[in-house]
CSV table of all heavy atoms in Angstrom, one decimal:
chain,number,residue,atom,x,y,z
A,156,MET,N,0.8,-1.2,0.0
A,156,MET,CA,0.0,0.0,0.0
A,156,MET,C,0.9,1.2,0.0
A,156,MET,O,0.9,2.0,0.9
A,156,MET,CB,-0.9,0.0,1.2
A,156,MET,CG,-1.9,1.1,1.2
A,156,MET,SD,-3.2,1.0,2.4
A,156,MET,CE,-2.4,0.4,3.8
A,157,THR,N,1.6,1.4,-1.1
A,157,THR,CA,2.5,2.6,-1.2
A,157,THR,C,2.4,3.3,-2.5
A,157,THR,O,3.2,4.2,-2.7
A,157,THR,CB,3.9,2.2,-1.0
A,157,THR,OG1,4.3,1.2,-2.0
A,157,THR,CG2,4.2,1.6,0.4
A,158,CYS,N,1.4,3.0,-3.3
A,158,CYS,CA,1.4,3.6,-4.7
A,158,CYS,C,0.1,4.2,-5.1
A,158,CYS,O,0.0,5.1,-5.9
A,158,CYS,CB,1.9,2.6,-5.7
A,158,CYS,SG,0.8,1.2,-5.9
A,159,ALA,N,-1.0,3.7,-4.6
A,159,ALA,CA,-2.4,4.1,-4.9
A,159,ALA,C,-2.8,3.9,-6.4
A,159,ALA,O,-3.7,4.4,-6.9
A,159,ALA,CB,-2.6,5.6,-4.6
A,160,THR,N,-2.0,3.0,-7.1
A,160,THR,CA,-2.3,2.8,-8.5
A,160,THR,C,-3.5,1.8,-8.6
A,160,THR,O,-4.0,1.5,-9.7
A,160,THR,CB,-1.1,2.2,-9.2
A,160,THR,OG1,-0.7,1.0,-8.6
A,160,THR,CG2,0.0,3.2,-9.3
A,161,CYS,N,-3.9,1.3,-7.5
A,161,CYS,CA,-5.1,0.3,-7.5
A,161,CYS,C,-6.4,1.0,-7.1
A,161,CYS,O,-7.3,0.4,-6.8
A,161,CYS,CB,-4.8,-0.8,-6.6
A,161,CYS,SG,-4.6,-0.3,-4.9
A,162,HIS,N,-6.4,2.3,-7.2
A,162,HIS,CA,-7.6,3.1,-6.9
A,162,HIS,C,-8.8,2.7,-7.7
A,162,HIS,O,-8.7,2.6,-9.0
A,162,HIS,CB,-7.3,4.6,-7.1
A,162,HIS,CG,-8.4,5.5,-6.9
A,162,HIS,ND1,-8.5,6.8,-7.5
A,162,HIS,CD2,-9.5,5.5,-6.0
A,162,HIS,CE1,-9.5,7.4,-7.1
A,162,HIS,NE2,-10.2,6.6,-6.2
A,163,VAL,N,-9.9,2.4,-7.1
A,163,VAL,CA,-11.1,2.1,-7.8
A,163,VAL,C,-12.3,2.8,-7.1
A,163,VAL,O,-12.2,3.3,-6.0
A,163,VAL,CB,-11.4,0.5,-7.7
A,163,VAL,CG1,-10.3,-0.2,-8.5
A,163,VAL,CG2,-11.5,0.0,-6.3
A,164,TYR,N,-13.4,2.9,-7.9
A,164,TYR,CA,-14.6,3.4,-7.4
A,164,TYR,C,-15.5,2.2,-7.2
A,164,TYR,O,-16.0,1.6,-8.2
A,164,TYR,CB,-15.2,4.4,-8.3
A,164,TYR,CG,-14.4,5.6,-8.6
A,164,TYR,CD1,-14.0,5.9,-9.9
A,164,TYR,CD2,-14.0,6.4,-7.5
A,164,TYR,CE1,-13.2,7.1,-10.1
A,164,TYR,CE2,-13.2,7.6,-7.8
A,164,TYR,CZ,-12.8,7.9,-9.1
A,164,TYR,OH,-12.0,9.0,-9.4
A,165,VAL,N,-15.8,1.8,-6.0
A,165,VAL,CA,-16.6,0.7,-5.7
A,165,VAL,C,-18.1,1.1,-6.0
A,165,VAL,O,-18.5,2.2,-5.6
A,165,VAL,CB,-16.5,0.2,-4.2
A,165,VAL,CG1,-17.5,-0.9,-3.9
A,165,VAL,CG2,-15.1,-0.3,-4.0
A,166,ASP,N,-18.8,0.2,-6.6
A,166,ASP,CA,-20.2,0.5,-6.9
A,166,ASP,C,-21.0,0.8,-5.6
A,166,ASP,O,-20.8,0.1,-4.6
A,166,ASP,CB,-20.9,-0.6,-7.7
A,166,ASP,CG,-20.5,-0.6,-9.2
A,166,ASP,OD1,-19.7,0.3,-9.6
A,166,ASP,OD2,-20.8,-1.5,-9.9
A,167,ASP,N,-21.9,1.7,-5.7
A,167,ASP,CA,-22.7,2.1,-4.5
A,167,ASP,C,-23.3,0.9,-3.7
A,167,ASP,O,-23.2,0.9,-2.5
A,167,ASP,CB,-23.8,3.1,-4.8
A,167,ASP,CG,-23.3,4.5,-5.2
A,167,ASP,OD1,-22.1,4.8,-4.9
A,167,ASP,OD2,-24.0,5.2,-5.9
A,168,ALA,N,-23.8,0.0,-4.4
A,168,ALA,CA,-24.5,-1.2,-3.7
A,168,ALA,C,-23.5,-2.0,-2.9
A,168,ALA,O,-23.9,-2.7,-2.0
A,168,ALA,CB,-25.1,-2.1,-4.8
A,169,TRP,N,-22.2,-1.8,-3.1
A,169,TRP,CA,-21.2,-2.6,-2.4
A,169,TRP,C,-20.4,-1.8,-1.3
A,169,TRP,O,-19.8,-2.4,-0.4
A,169,TRP,CB,-20.2,-3.2,-3.4
A,169,TRP,CG,-20.9,-4.3,-4.2
A,169,TRP,CD1,-21.4,-4.1,-5.5
A,169,TRP,CD2,-21.1,-5.6,-3.9
A,169,TRP,NE1,-21.9,-5.2,-5.9
A,169,TRP,CE2,-21.7,-6.2,-5.0
A,169,TRP,CE3,-20.8,-6.4,-2.8
A,169,TRP,CZ2,-22.1,-7.6,-5.0
A,169,TRP,CZ3,-21.1,-7.8,-2.8
A,169,TRP,CH2,-21.8,-8.3,-3.9
A,170,THR,N,-20.5,-0.6,-1.4
A,170,THR,CA,-19.6,0.3,-0.6
A,170,THR,C,-19.9,0.0,0.9
A,170,THR,O,-19.0,-0.2,1.7
A,170,THR,CB,-19.9,1.8,-0.9
A,170,THR,OG1,-19.6,2.0,-2.2
A,170,THR,CG2,-19.0,2.6,0.0
A,171,ALA,N,-21.1,-0.1,1.3
A,171,ALA,CA,-21.5,-0.2,2.7
A,171,ALA,C,-21.1,-1.6,3.2
A,171,ALA,O,-21.1,-1.9,4.4
A,171,ALA,CB,-22.9,0.1,3.0
A,172,ARG,N,-20.9,-2.6,2.3
A,172,ARG,CA,-20.6,-3.9,2.7
A,172,ARG,C,-19.1,-4.2,3.0
A,172,ARG,O,-18.7,-5.2,3.4
A,172,ARG,CB,-21.1,-4.9,1.7
A,172,ARG,CG,-22.6,-4.8,1.5
A,172,ARG,CD,-23.1,-5.5,0.3
A,172,ARG,NE,-23.1,-7.0,0.5
A,172,ARG,CZ,-23.6,-7.8,-0.3
A,172,ARG,NH1,-24.4,-7.4,-1.3
A,172,ARG,NH2,-23.5,-9.1,-0.1
A,173,LEU,N,-18.3,-3.1,2.7
A,173,LEU,CA,-16.9,-3.2,2.9
A,173,LEU,C,-16.5,-2.6,4.3
A,173,LEU,O,-17.2,-1.7,4.7
A,173,LEU,CB,-16.1,-2.5,1.9
A,173,LEU,CG,-16.2,-2.9,0.4
A,173,LEU,CD1,-15.5,-2.0,-0.5
A,173,LEU,CD2,-15.7,-4.4,0.3
A,174,PRO,N,-15.5,-3.2,5.0
A,174,PRO,CA,-15.1,-2.5,6.2
A,174,PRO,C,-14.5,-1.2,5.9
A,174,PRO,O,-14.1,-0.9,4.7
A,174,PRO,CB,-13.9,-3.5,6.7
A,174,PRO,CG,-13.7,-4.5,5.7
A,174,PRO,CD,-14.8,-4.4,4.6
A,175,ALA,N,-14.5,-0.3,6.8
A,175,ALA,CA,-14.0,1.1,6.6
A,175,ALA,C,-12.5,1.0,6.3
A,175,ALA,O,-11.8,0.1,6.7
A,175,ALA,CB,-14.2,1.9,7.9
A,176,PRO,N,-12.0,1.9,5.5
A,176,PRO,CA,-10.6,1.9,5.2
A,176,PRO,C,-9.8,2.2,6.4
A,176,PRO,O,-10.2,2.9,7.3
A,176,PRO,CB,-10.4,3.1,4.2
A,176,PRO,CG,-11.7,3.8,4.2
A,176,PRO,CD,-12.7,3.0,4.8
A,177,SER,N,-8.6,1.5,6.5
A,177,SER,CA,-7.7,1.8,7.6
A,177,SER,C,-7.2,3.2,7.5
A,177,SER,O,-7.3,3.9,6.5
A,177,SER,CB,-6.5,0.8,7.5
A,177,SER,OG,-5.7,1.1,6.3
A,178,GLN,N,-6.5,3.7,8.5
A,178,GLN,CA,-5.9,5.0,8.5
A,178,GLN,C,-4.9,5.1,7.4
A,178,GLN,O,-4.8,6.2,6.7
A,178,GLN,CB,-5.2,5.3,9.8
A,178,GLN,CG,-6.1,5.7,10.9
A,178,GLN,CD,-5.4,6.2,12.2
A,178,GLN,OE1,-4.4,5.6,12.5
A,178,GLN,NE2,-5.9,7.3,12.8
A,179,ASP,N,-4.1,4.1,7.1
A,179,ASP,CA,-3.1,4.1,6.1
A,179,ASP,C,-3.8,4.2,4.7
A,179,ASP,O,-3.4,5.0,3.8
A,179,ASP,CB,-2.2,2.9,6.1
A,179,ASP,CG,-1.2,3.0,7.3
A,179,ASP,OD1,-1.0,4.1,7.8
A,179,ASP,OD2,-0.7,2.0,7.7
A,180,GLU,N,-4.9,3.4,4.5
A,180,GLU,CA,-5.6,3.5,3.2
A,180,GLU,C,-6.2,4.8,3.0
A,180,GLU,O,-6.1,5.4,2.0
A,180,GLU,CB,-6.6,2.4,3.2
A,180,GLU,CG,-7.4,2.4,1.8
A,180,GLU,CD,-8.5,1.3,1.7
A,180,GLU,OE1,-8.6,0.5,2.6
A,180,GLU,OE2,-9.2,1.4,0.7
A,181,ASP,N,-6.8,5.3,4.1
A,181,ASP,CA,-7.4,6.7,4.0
A,181,ASP,C,-6.4,7.7,3.6
A,181,ASP,O,-6.7,8.6,2.8
A,181,ASP,CB,-8.0,7.0,5.4
A,181,ASP,CG,-8.9,8.2,5.3
A,181,ASP,OD1,-9.8,8.3,4.5
A,181,ASP,OD2,-8.6,9.2,6.1
A,182,ALA,N,-5.2,7.6,4.2
A,182,ALA,CA,-4.1,8.6,3.8
A,182,ALA,C,-3.7,8.4,2.4
A,182,ALA,O,-3.5,9.4,1.7
A,182,ALA,CB,-2.9,8.4,4.8
A,183,MET,N,-3.6,7.2,1.9
A,183,MET,CA,-3.2,7.0,0.5
A,183,MET,C,-4.2,7.5,-0.4
A,183,MET,O,-3.9,7.9,-1.6
A,183,MET,CB,-2.9,5.5,0.3
A,183,MET,CG,-1.6,5.0,0.9
A,183,MET,SD,-0.1,5.8,0.2
A,183,MET,CE,-0.2,5.4,-1.5
A,184,LEU,N,-5.5,7.4,-0.1
A,184,LEU,CA,-6.6,7.8,-0.9
A,184,LEU,C,-6.5,9.3,-1.2
A,184,LEU,O,-7.2,9.8,-2.1
A,184,LEU,CB,-7.9,7.4,-0.4
A,184,LEU,CG,-8.2,5.9,-0.6
A,184,LEU,CD1,-9.4,5.5,0.3
A,184,LEU,CD2,-8.5,5.6,-2.1
A,185,GLU,N,-5.8,10.0,-0.4
A,185,GLU,CA,-5.6,11.5,-0.6
A,185,GLU,C,-4.5,11.7,-1.7
A,185,GLU,O,-4.3,12.9,-2.0
A,185,GLU,CB,-5.2,12.2,0.7
A,185,GLU,CG,-6.3,12.1,1.8
A,185,GLU,CD,-7.5,12.9,1.3
A,185,GLU,OE1,-7.4,13.9,0.7
A,185,GLU,OE2,-8.6,12.4,1.7
A,186,MET,N,-3.9,10.7,-2.1
A,186,MET,CA,-2.8,10.9,-3.1
A,186,MET,C,-3.1,10.2,-4.4
A,186,MET,O,-2.1,9.9,-5.2
A,186,MET,CB,-1.5,10.3,-2.5
A,186,MET,CG,-1.0,11.1,-1.3
A,186,MET,SD,0.5,10.4,-0.7
A,186,MET,CE,0.0,9.6,0.8
A,187,THR,N,-4.3,10.0,-4.7
A,187,THR,CA,-4.6,9.3,-6.0
A,187,THR,C,-4.5,10.3,-7.2
A,187,THR,O,-4.7,11.5,-7.0
A,187,THR,CB,-6.1,8.7,-6.0
A,187,THR,OG1,-7.0,9.8,-5.6
A,187,THR,CG2,-6.2,7.6,-4.9
A,188,ALA,N,-4.3,9.8,-8.4
A,188,ALA,CA,-4.2,10.6,-9.6
A,188,ALA,C,-5.5,11.2,-9.9
A,188,ALA,O,-5.6,12.4,-10.3
A,188,ALA,CB,-3.6,9.8,-10.7
A,189,ALA,N,-6.6,10.4,-9.8
A,189,ALA,CA,-7.9,10.9,-10.1
A,189,ALA,C,-8.6,11.3,-8.8
A,189,ALA,O,-8.2,11.0,-7.7
A,189,ALA,CB,-8.7,9.8,-10.7
A,190,GLU,N,-9.7,12.1,-8.9
A,190,GLU,CA,-10.3,12.6,-7.8
A,190,GLU,C,-10.8,11.5,-6.8
A,190,GLU,O,-11.2,10.4,-7.3
A,190,GLU,CB,-11.6,13.5,-8.2
A,190,GLU,CG,-12.7,12.6,-8.8
A,190,GLU,CD,-14.0,13.3,-9.0
A,190,GLU,OE1,-14.4,14.1,-8.1
A,190,GLU,OE2,-14.6,13.1,-10.0
A,191,ARG,N,-10.7,11.8,-5.5
A,191,ARG,CA,-11.2,10.8,-4.6
A,191,ARG,C,-12.8,11.1,-4.5
A,191,ARG,O,-13.2,12.2,-4.4
A,191,ARG,CB,-10.6,11.1,-3.2
A,191,ARG,CG,-11.1,10.1,-2.2
A,191,ARG,CD,-10.4,10.3,-0.8
A,191,ARG,NE,-10.9,9.3,0.1
A,191,ARG,CZ,-10.4,9.2,1.3
A,191,ARG,NH1,-9.5,9.9,1.8
A,191,ARG,NH2,-10.9,8.2,2.1
A,192,ARG,N,-13.5,10.0,-4.4
A,192,ARG,CA,-14.9,10.0,-4.2
A,192,ARG,C,-15.3,9.3,-3.0
A,192,ARG,O,-14.5,8.5,-2.4
A,192,ARG,CB,-15.7,9.4,-5.4
A,192,ARG,CG,-15.4,10.1,-6.7
A,192,ARG,CD,-16.0,9.4,-7.9
A,192,ARG,NE,-15.7,10.0,-9.2
A,192,ARG,CZ,-15.9,9.4,-10.3
A,192,ARG,NH1,-16.6,8.2,-10.4
A,192,ARG,NH2,-15.6,10.0,-11.5
A,193,PRO,N,-16.6,9.4,-2.5
A,193,PRO,CA,-17.0,8.7,-1.3
A,193,PRO,C,-16.8,7.2,-1.5
A,193,PRO,O,-16.7,6.4,-0.5
A,193,PRO,CB,-18.4,9.1,-1.1
A,193,PRO,CG,-18.5,10.4,-1.7
A,193,PRO,CD,-17.6,10.4,-2.9
A,194,THR,N,-16.8,6.7,-2.7
A,194,THR,CA,-16.7,5.2,-2.9
A,194,THR,C,-15.3,4.8,-3.3
A,194,THR,O,-15.1,3.7,-3.7
A,194,THR,CB,-17.7,4.8,-4.1
A,194,THR,OG1,-17.3,5.5,-5.3
A,194,THR,CG2,-19.1,5.1,-3.7
A,195,SER,N,-14.4,5.7,-3.2
A,195,SER,CA,-13.0,5.4,-3.5
A,195,SER,C,-12.4,4.4,-2.5
A,195,SER,O,-12.6,4.5,-1.3
A,195,SER,CB,-12.1,6.6,-3.5
A,195,SER,OG,-12.4,7.5,-4.6
A,196,ARG,N,-11.7,3.4,-3.1
A,196,ARG,CA,-11.0,2.4,-2.2
A,196,ARG,C,-9.7,2.0,-3.0
A,196,ARG,O,-9.6,2.2,-4.2
A,196,ARG,CB,-11.8,1.2,-2.0
A,196,ARG,CG,-13.1,1.4,-1.2
A,196,ARG,CD,-12.8,2.0,0.2
A,196,ARG,NE,-12.0,1.2,1.1
A,196,ARG,CZ,-12.5,0.4,2.0
A,196,ARG,NH1,-13.8,0.4,2.3
A,196,ARG,NH2,-11.7,-0.4,2.7
A,197,LEU,N,-8.8,1.5,-2.2
A,197,LEU,CA,-7.6,0.9,-2.8
A,197,LEU,C,-7.9,-0.6,-3.0
A,197,LEU,O,-8.1,-1.3,-2.0
A,197,LEU,CB,-6.4,1.1,-2.0
A,197,LEU,CG,-5.9,2.5,-1.8
A,197,LEU,CD1,-4.7,2.6,-0.9
A,197,LEU,CD2,-5.7,3.2,-3.1
A,198,SER,N,-8.0,-1.1,-4.2
A,198,SER,CA,-8.5,-2.5,-4.4
A,198,SER,C,-7.5,-3.5,-3.8
A,198,SER,O,-8.0,-4.6,-3.4
A,198,SER,CB,-8.7,-2.8,-5.9
A,198,SER,OG,-7.5,-2.6,-6.6
A,199,CYS,N,-6.3,-3.1,-3.6
A,199,CYS,CA,-5.3,-4.1,-3.0
A,199,CYS,C,-5.7,-4.3,-1.5
A,199,CYS,O,-5.1,-5.3,-0.9
A,199,CYS,CB,-3.9,-3.7,-3.2
A,199,CYS,SG,-3.4,-2.3,-2.1
A,200,GLN,N,-6.5,-3.5,-0.9
A,200,GLN,CA,-6.8,-3.6,0.5
A,200,GLN,C,-8.2,-4.3,0.7
A,200,GLN,O,-8.6,-4.5,1.8
A,200,GLN,CB,-6.8,-2.2,1.1
A,200,GLN,CG,-5.5,-1.5,1.1
A,200,GLN,CD,-4.4,-2.4,1.7
A,200,GLN,OE1,-4.4,-2.7,2.9
A,200,GLN,NE2,-3.4,-2.8,0.9
A,201,ILE,N,-8.9,-4.7,-0.4
A,201,ILE,CA,-10.2,-5.3,-0.2
A,201,ILE,C,-9.9,-6.8,-0.2
A,201,ILE,O,-9.4,-7.4,-1.1
A,201,ILE,CB,-11.1,-5.0,-1.4
A,201,ILE,CG1,-11.4,-3.5,-1.4
A,201,ILE,CG2,-12.4,-5.8,-1.3
A,201,ILE,CD1,-12.1,-3.0,-2.7
A,202,VAL,N,-10.2,-7.4,0.9
A,202,VAL,CA,-10.0,-8.9,1.1
A,202,VAL,C,-11.3,-9.5,0.6
A,202,VAL,O,-12.4,-9.4,1.3
A,202,VAL,CB,-9.7,-9.2,2.6
A,202,VAL,CG1,-9.6,-10.7,2.7
A,202,VAL,CG2,-8.5,-8.5,3.0
A,203,LEU,N,-11.2,-10.2,-0.5
A,203,LEU,CA,-12.4,-10.9,-1.0
A,203,LEU,C,-12.8,-12.1,-0.3
A,203,LEU,O,-11.9,-12.9,0.1
A,203,LEU,CB,-12.2,-11.1,-2.5
A,203,LEU,CG,-12.0,-9.9,-3.4
A,203,LEU,CD1,-11.7,-10.3,-4.8
A,203,LEU,CD2,-13.3,-9.0,-3.4
A,204,ASP,N,-14.1,-12.3,-0.1
A,204,ASP,CA,-14.6,-13.6,0.4
A,204,ASP,C,-15.9,-13.9,-0.2
A,204,ASP,O,-16.4,-13.1,-1.1
A,204,ASP,CB,-14.6,-13.6,1.9
A,204,ASP,CG,-15.6,-12.5,2.5
A,204,ASP,OD1,-16.4,-12.0,1.7
A,204,ASP,OD2,-15.5,-12.2,3.7
A,205,GLU,N,-16.6,-14.9,0.2
A,205,GLU,CA,-17.9,-15.3,-0.4
A,205,GLU,C,-18.9,-14.2,-0.3
A,205,GLU,O,-19.7,-14.0,-1.3
A,205,GLU,CB,-18.4,-16.6,0.3
A,205,GLU,CG,-17.7,-17.8,-0.1
A,205,GLU,CD,-17.9,-18.2,-1.6
A,205,GLU,OE1,-19.0,-18.0,-2.1
A,205,GLU,OE2,-16.9,-18.6,-2.2
A,206,GLU,N,-18.9,-13.4,0.8
A,206,GLU,CA,-19.9,-12.4,0.9
A,206,GLU,C,-19.7,-11.2,-0.1
A,206,GLU,O,-20.6,-10.4,-0.3
A,206,GLU,CB,-19.8,-11.8,2.3
A,206,GLU,CG,-20.3,-12.8,3.4
A,206,GLU,CD,-20.5,-12.2,4.7
A,206,GLU,OE1,-20.5,-10.9,4.8
A,206,GLU,OE2,-20.6,-12.9,5.7
A,207,LEU,N,-18.5,-11.1,-0.6
A,207,LEU,CA,-18.2,-10.1,-1.6
A,207,LEU,C,-18.2,-10.6,-3.0
A,207,LEU,O,-17.9,-9.9,-4.0
A,207,LEU,CB,-16.9,-9.4,-1.3
A,207,LEU,CG,-16.8,-8.6,0.0
A,207,LEU,CD1,-15.4,-8.0,0.2
A,207,LEU,CD2,-17.9,-7.5,0.1
A,208,SER,N,-18.7,-11.8,-3.2
A,208,SER,CA,-18.7,-12.4,-4.5
A,208,SER,C,-19.7,-11.5,-5.4
A,208,SER,O,-20.8,-11.3,-5.0
A,208,SER,CB,-19.2,-13.8,-4.5
A,208,SER,OG,-19.4,-14.4,-5.8
A,209,GLY,N,-19.2,-11.1,-6.5
A,209,GLY,CA,-20.0,-10.2,-7.4
A,209,GLY,C,-19.8,-8.8,-7.2
A,209,GLY,O,-20.3,-7.9,-8.0
A,210,LEU,N,-18.9,-8.4,-6.3
A,210,LEU,CA,-18.6,-7.0,-6.1
A,210,LEU,C,-18.1,-6.4,-7.4
A,210,LEU,O,-17.3,-7.0,-8.2
A,210,LEU,CB,-17.4,-6.8,-5.1
A,210,LEU,CG,-17.0,-5.4,-4.7
A,210,LEU,CD1,-16.6,-5.4,-3.3
A,210,LEU,CD2,-15.9,-4.9,-5.6
A,211,THR,N,-18.6,-5.2,-7.7
A,211,THR,CA,-18.2,-4.5,-8.9
A,211,THR,C,-17.6,-3.1,-8.6
A,211,THR,O,-18.0,-2.5,-7.6
A,211,THR,CB,-19.3,-4.3,-9.9
A,211,THR,OG1,-20.4,-3.7,-9.3
A,211,THR,CG2,-19.8,-5.7,-10.5
A,212,ALA,N,-16.7,-2.7,-9.4
A,212,ALA,CA,-16.0,-1.4,-9.2
A,212,ALA,C,-15.6,-0.9,-10.5
A,212,ALA,O,-15.3,-1.7,-11.5
A,212,ALA,CB,-14.8,-1.6,-8.3
A,213,GLY,N,-15.4,0.4,-10.6
A,213,GLY,CA,-14.9,1.0,-11.8
A,213,GLY,C,-13.5,1.6,-11.6
A,213,GLY,O,-13.2,1.9,-10.5
A,214,ILE,N,-12.8,1.8,-12.7
A,214,ILE,CA,-11.5,2.3,-12.5
A,214,ILE,C,-11.5,3.8,-13.0
A,214,ILE,O,-12.3,4.2,-13.9
A,214,ILE,CB,-10.4,1.6,-13.3
A,214,ILE,CG1,-10.8,1.5,-14.8
A,214,ILE,CG2,-10.2,0.2,-12.7
A,214,ILE,CD1,-9.7,0.9,-15.7
A,215,PRO,N,-10.7,4.6,-12.4
A,215,PRO,CA,-10.7,6.1,-12.7
A,215,PRO,C,-10.1,6.3,-14.1
A,215,PRO,O,-9.5,5.4,-14.7
A,215,PRO,CB,-9.7,6.7,-11.7
A,215,PRO,CG,-9.6,5.7,-10.6
A,215,PRO,CD,-9.8,4.4,-11.2
A,216,ASP,N,-10.4,7.4,-14.7
A,216,ASP,CA,-9.9,7.7,-16.1
A,216,ASP,C,-8.4,7.8,-16.0
A,216,ASP,O,-7.7,7.6,-17.1
A,216,ASP,CB,-10.5,9.0,-16.6
A,216,ASP,CG,-11.9,8.9,-16.9
A,216,ASP,OD1,-12.4,7.8,-17.1
A,216,ASP,OD2,-12.6,9.9,-16.9
A,217,THR,N,-7.8,8.2,-14.9
A,217,THR,CA,-6.4,8.4,-14.8
A,217,THR,C,-5.8,7.6,-13.6
A,217,THR,O,-6.4,7.5,-12.6
A,217,THR,CB,-6.1,9.9,-14.5
A,217,THR,OG1,-6.7,10.7,-15.5
A,217,THR,CG2,-4.6,10.2,-14.4
A,218,GLN,N,-4.7,7.0,-13.9
A,218,GLN,CA,-3.9,6.4,-12.8
A,218,GLN,C,-2.5,6.8,-12.9
A,218,GLN,O,-2.1,7.3,-14.0
A,218,GLN,CB,-4.0,4.8,-12.9
A,218,GLN,CG,-5.4,4.3,-12.7
A,218,GLN,CD,-5.8,4.1,-11.3
A,218,GLN,OE1,-5.4,4.9,-10.4
A,218,GLN,NE2,-6.6,3.1,-11.0
A,219,TYR,N,-1.7,6.6,-11.9
A,219,TYR,CA,-0.3,6.9,-12.1
A,219,TYR,C,0.4,5.9,-12.9
A,219,TYR,O,0.0,4.7,-13.0
A,219,TYR,CB,0.4,7.0,-10.7
A,219,TYR,CG,0.0,8.2,-9.9
A,219,TYR,CD1,-0.6,8.1,-8.7
A,219,TYR,CD2,0.4,9.5,-10.4
A,219,TYR,CE1,-1.0,9.2,-8.0
A,219,TYR,CE2,0.0,10.6,-9.6
A,219,TYR,CZ,-0.6,10.5,-8.5
A,219,TYR,OH,-1.0,11.6,-7.7
B,233,LIG,S1,-1.6,0.9,-3.0
B,233,LIG,FE1,-0.2,0.0,-4.4
B,233,LIG,S2,-1.3,-1.7,-5.2
B,233,LIG,FE2,-2.7,-0.8,-3.9
């Protein structure tokens, strides 16, 4: 978690089902190439399991 190149916009339907970002993730989300939105997350920090099967997210127009 040192680059923020994995920035994604999680679809609204899934955002509330994810744990809140850690302090480190929150800080990294301030350094993304594209604007941060309420649904912004670092995809490398999302731990997938059965409950998140089907999660969808979009990628920003710009990445580093
Ligand atoms: S912050 Fe570098 S891959 Fe996620």
Side-chain angles (χ1 to χ4, degrees):
M156 187 174 34
T157 59
C158 62
T160 58
C161 62
H162 178 206
V163 294
Y164 301 122
V165 175
D166 284 355
D167 289 338
W169 292 94
T170 302
R172 297 170 71 169
L173 296 177
S177 67
Q178 281 188 319
D179 288 341
E180 181 182 354
D181 189 56
M183 285 300 297
L184 284 167
E185 295 298 323
M186 296 182 253
T187 55
E190 68 170 318
R191 181 179 183 174
R192 299 178 185 167
T194 61
S195 288
R196 296 299 298 260
L197 298 179
S198 59
C199 73
Q200 299 304 300
I201 299 173
V202 179
L203 295 175
D204 60 17
E205 285 294 320
E206 291 189 14
L207 295 179
S208 178
L210 182 149
T211 55
I214 57 172
D216 290 338
T217 302
Q218 295 280 33
Y219 288 117

